[in-house]
Amino acid sequence: MLYIIGLGLGDEKDITCKGLEAVKKADRVYLEEYTSILTVGKRALEAFYERDDLIVADRELVEQGDEILRDADSADVAFLVVGDPFGATTHSDLALRAKNANIRCRIIHNASIMNAIGCTGLQLYSFGETVSIPFWTETWQPDSFYDKIIGNLSRGLHTLCLLDIKVKEPTLESLTRKKREYEPPRFMTVNQAASQLLQIIEQKQSTELSTEKRLSAESVCIAVSRVGSSDQKMVSTTLKQMTDVEMGPPLHSLVIAGTLHPLEQEYISEFAL
């Protein structure tokens, strides 16, 4: 059987009892590290699971190869995912490939940022479409996520912004060589996300006819970092001030607040800048 197991958001102890049982009996265990990270590394997981053979699975191994599904029709294979197994579409694809290969697949769920964002005190049913904010480059500066934020604001809904991470990204120079070289890991901060949003706002101001429900430098937003860990941090402030907020190590997420209920307003005031 193929087990796709959520690890939760904090450290090695956030795995469920069912998940830990599956890990301990699996013949092979893969650890996916490119869609998210825990606050602890591979060694801490191996020590807690009492096995020293975790296989780190990068994007190429998961999305292009059949290594993970190898012999999974006759052996137990565990695939570990930070957060919940279906927090990223790539893992749905793995489950579908297993089904097409007549391999039994069991999903063991856990907490993800999609529900743990309730730690901000904002009601989950008041969130609209979640968006991803990618790192910009000099030649690539997409802004389609901005329109989704505006759509949520027009309905009074909050927006969870998932911030880009770059793990095992090949350097431009190495793409033309046979031997791959990789850039150091990068994790977008709320400061970078807020800065990119402010640049988009400046560009859009001249073309937007209505100011109602428009994102602005004074819009209320909430930054969260290392959700689920012992040093979890939350700050509420304006989008402009967010560019100077220090949230510490990754991972960071950003929430653009929609229409705030009085209870939500009271809750976020407890960690206002």
Side-chain angles (χ1 to χ4, degrees):
M1 182 177 290
L2 171 68
Y3 292 89
I4 305 181
I5 302 169
L7 297 182
L9 294 170
D11 56 29
E12 71 276 18
K13 296 180 181 179
D14 282 350
I15 191 171
T16 63
C17 292
K18 287 182 180 179
L20 186 57
E21 288 175 354
V23 168
K24 286 182 176 293
K25 74 175 185 177
D27 297 285
R28 298 196 313 278
V29 182
Y30 295 90
L31 173 62
E32 187 266 274
E33 279 193 333
Y34 65 89
T35 58
S36 188
I37 59 167
L38 291 174
T39 57
V40 296
K42 174 173 173 282
R43 289 185 179 180
L45 297 179
E46 289 178 329
F48 189 72
Y49 302 157
E50 298 179 347
R51 56 187 307 160
D52 58 1
D53 56 351
L54 263 62
I55 305 167
V56 175
D58 59 18
R59 183 183 296 273
E60 184 176 356
L61 178 65
V62 177
E63 296 184 352
Q64 298 180 11
D66 295 322
E67 165 65 21
I68 294 174
L69 298 181
R70 174 175 55 85
D71 300 329
D73 55 345
S74 58
D76 285 333
V77 177
F79 180 66
L80 310 183
V81 180
V82 176
D84 185 79
F86 288 151
T89 54
T90 181
H91 308 136
S92 304
D93 177 68
L94 181 63
L96 285 172
R97 280 189 282 145
K99 181 179 180 180
N100 291 335
N102 293 319
I103 296 170
R104 292 185 301 162
C105 182
R106 184 180 181 188
I107 309 299
I108 301 179
H109 293 284
N110 209 320
S112 80
I113 191 63
M114 302 293 284
N115 54 39
I117 198 62
C119 67
T120 58
L122 303 182
Q123 298 299 311
L124 292 180
Y125 55 73
S126 294
F127 277 81
E129 185 175 359
T130 298
V131 305
S132 296
I133 300 182
F135 278 114
W136 279 355
T137 68
E138 291 183 1
T139 58
W140 188 70
Q141 298 183 354
D143 61 5
S144 58
F145 53 86
Y146 174 83
D147 294 328
K148 295 179 181 180
I149 295 172
I150 297 302
N152 288 339
L153 287 175
S154 69
R155 297 187 295 276
L157 302 176
H158 314 309
T159 305
L160 170 60
C161 304
L162 304 179
L163 310 188
D164 201 2
I165 71 173
K166 297 290 186 184
V167 178
K168 204 174 180 181
E169 292 287 323
T171 62
L172 292 176
E173 295 80 6
S174 73
L175 292 176
T176 58
R177 305 172 186 169
K178 292 183 179 180
K179 184 179 180 180
R180 287 285 181 92
E181 295 178 351
Y182 299 97
E183 297 179 353
R186 290 188 296 149
F187 306 92
M188 181 179 284
T189 65
V190 291
N191 318 99
Q192 293 169 307
S195 178
Q196 289 185 186
L197 282 168
L198 288 171
Q199 291 180 61
I200 296 172
I201 290 170
E202 186 175 353
Q203 295 166 3
K204 297 280 187 179
Q205 276 183 340
S206 59
T207 58
E208 288 181 341
L209 299 178
S210 173
T211 59
E212 185 178 2
K213 299 299 182 183
R214 188 180 71 182
L215 188 63
S216 75
E218 300 306 313
S219 293
V220 175
C221 53
I222 299 100
V224 296
S225 61
R226 300 173 303 285
V227 172
S229 68
S230 59
D231 64 343
Q232 170 181 306
K233 184 175 181 179
M234 298 187 293
V235 172
S236 66
T237 185
T238 65
L239 185 61
K240 182 178 180 180
Q241 290 177 317
M242 191 61 73
T243 58
D244 295 321
V245 171
E246 177 53 56
M247 296 298 292
L251 291 173
H252 296 185
S253 297
L254 182 68
V255 176
I256 307 297
T259 302
L260 289 166
H261 184 277
L263 287 177
E264 293 177 313
Q265 182 68 61
E266 181 180 355
Y267 198 96
I268 68 172
S269 69
E270 294 298 316
F271 48 86
L273 186 64

